[in-house]
Amino acid sequence: MEEQSRFSETVKDLLEGGREERLAQLLEEAHPTDVARTLRELPTAEQTRLFRLLNREQAGAVLHEMDDQTVVELVRALDEVELSGILDRMPADNAAEIVDELPAEQAEKVLDLMKEEQAEEVQELLEYGEKTAGRIMSPRFVAVHEEASVAQAIEHVRKAASAEQAFYLYVVDDHDHLVGVVPFRRLITADPATPVKLIREEEVVSVTPDTDQEEVARQVAKYNLLAVPVVNQSRKLLGTITVDNVIDIIQEEATE
């Protein structure tokens, strides 16, 4: 806590002294959680000054760490071009949370300015009800066909853009139905020539898009999962919810 206080005081001093170049360097080295806590202590005008010193990727991470009311006040102070650039670099589920807080007219403008693929993913998530699995899931996941070999699966994981956020390799059939899961540890220790279907776990704990987010949290805790897949009624894989989302849910419910 003392370290956080020192960081906040340093940020405030640099803001007051107009030393924005030094402040930008300090922010680049800081953890998003520390930046978010400091932002909450500042008036809106200074929040905006500070936030504009962050690079877009870091800005997205900081927004994710902030409480809803502070996010609303801050993003409304940014113009649509700035905000769309930040949301483009955020996970779709986090971007959807922010877009949902915007007035309808501003939300529409921001979505129009975002990259087409990201905007479509955000809009799809916003179609699900609030506090449901569909609203908080990430539509990006790592999955391979059940007939793939372990070697092919490892190569797919290596190339997958979403692999850094993945905890499990999901196994699907010809129709993208979820038919199994393979923990990465098991994958990398298996014989490269082995078909993935022979090392998969067929019993997969999953939720549907309309599952309440509190029930998602209970399932993750009950089965000690790092992530849970979201499937439709025919078991088609739609997305995943990771443990960091679940922690956010628990904190949100505790605050309420």
Side-chain angles (χ1 to χ4, degrees):
M1 187 62 70
E2 185 179 342
E3 187 176 340
Q4 170 64 37
S5 297
R6 286 200 301 270
F7 175 76
S8 295
E9 288 305 313
T10 302
V11 167
K12 292 172 185 176
D13 289 344
L14 292 172
L15 272 173
E16 187 176 346
R19 300 178 59 191
E20 296 194 345
E21 185 175 342
R22 173 70 187 98
L23 183 53
Q25 293 174 345
L26 178 68
L27 293 173
E28 189 174 349
E29 298 167 359
H31 193 281
T33 301
D34 295 332
V35 178
R37 287 175 179 165
T38 300
L39 274 166
R40 285 197 291 268
E41 301 172 6
L42 300 172
T44 303
E46 290 192 343
Q47 284 181 354
T48 307
R49 276 182 63 199
L50 183 64
F51 194 79
R52 283 177 169 147
L53 295 175
L54 301 170
N55 62 53
R56 287 181 174 180
E57 185 173 346
Q58 191 181 22
V62 170
L63 279 179
H64 180 55
E65 296 291 337
M66 295 170 67
D67 61 274
D68 291 346
Q69 187 55 43
T70 308
V71 167
V72 170
E73 293 172 0
L74 180 58
V75 299
R76 287 182 178 177
L78 302 173
D79 63 47
E80 286 83 4
V81 174
E82 284 179 300
L83 187 53
S84 64
I86 293 166
L87 296 182
D88 272 333
R89 286 167 168 75
M90 294 180 69
D93 53 323
N94 297 338
E97 289 180 26
I98 293 168
V99 172
D100 192 39
E101 297 289 345
L102 299 174
E105 186 176 345
Q106 186 182 12
E108 187 175 345
K109 289 179 180 177
V110 168
L111 285 167
D112 285 342
L113 289 168
M114 289 171 63
K115 294 177 181 176
E116 185 176 355
E117 182 182 1
Q118 176 79 339
E120 287 177 355
E121 289 183 357
V122 169
Q123 287 174 309
E124 287 174 5
L125 293 178
L126 290 173
E127 291 176 4
Y128 297 109
E130 290 187 24
K131 298 183 181 295
T132 64
R135 180 64 71 89
I136 61 173
M137 71 179 180
S138 169
R140 299 184 183 183
F141 48 83
V142 184
V144 295
H145 191 275
E146 59 185 337
E147 297 296 337
S149 68
V150 166
Q152 290 171 325
I154 291 175
E155 180 65 12
H156 177 69
V157 170
R158 190 181 67 80
K159 292 181 177 179
S162 56
E164 64 184 43
Q165 301 170 344
F167 296 101
Y168 305 106
L169 174 69
Y170 295 102
V171 185
V172 296
D173 63 13
D174 290 332
H175 304 288
D176 291 328
H177 297 148
L178 182 63
V179 294
V181 63
V182 181
F184 283 156
R185 188 172 185 176
R186 181 183 300 177
L187 181 70
I188 62 176
T189 57
D191 187 302
T194 303
V196 168
K197 65 182 179 182
L198 295 184
I199 64 168
R200 71 187 177 192
E201 296 175 7
E202 295 187 5
E203 296 297 322
V204 186
V205 176
S206 62
V207 296
T208 59
D210 58 352
T211 301
D212 185 273
Q213 65 178 21
E214 289 187 62
E215 178 58 25
V216 174
R218 280 193 288 270
Q219 293 293 318
V220 169
K222 179 180 179 180
Y223 295 103
N224 197 27
L225 301 171
L226 295 174
V228 61
V230 183
V231 298
N232 64 14
Q233 295 300 324
S234 65
R235 298 285 295 172
K236 181 177 180 180
L237 183 57
L238 304 175
T240 61
I241 299 171
T242 56
V243 68
D244 59 328
N245 295 111
V246 173
I247 292 171
D248 290 341
I249 293 168
I250 293 170
Q251 291 176 335
E252 180 183 327
E253 298 298 335
T255 302
E256 289 180 0

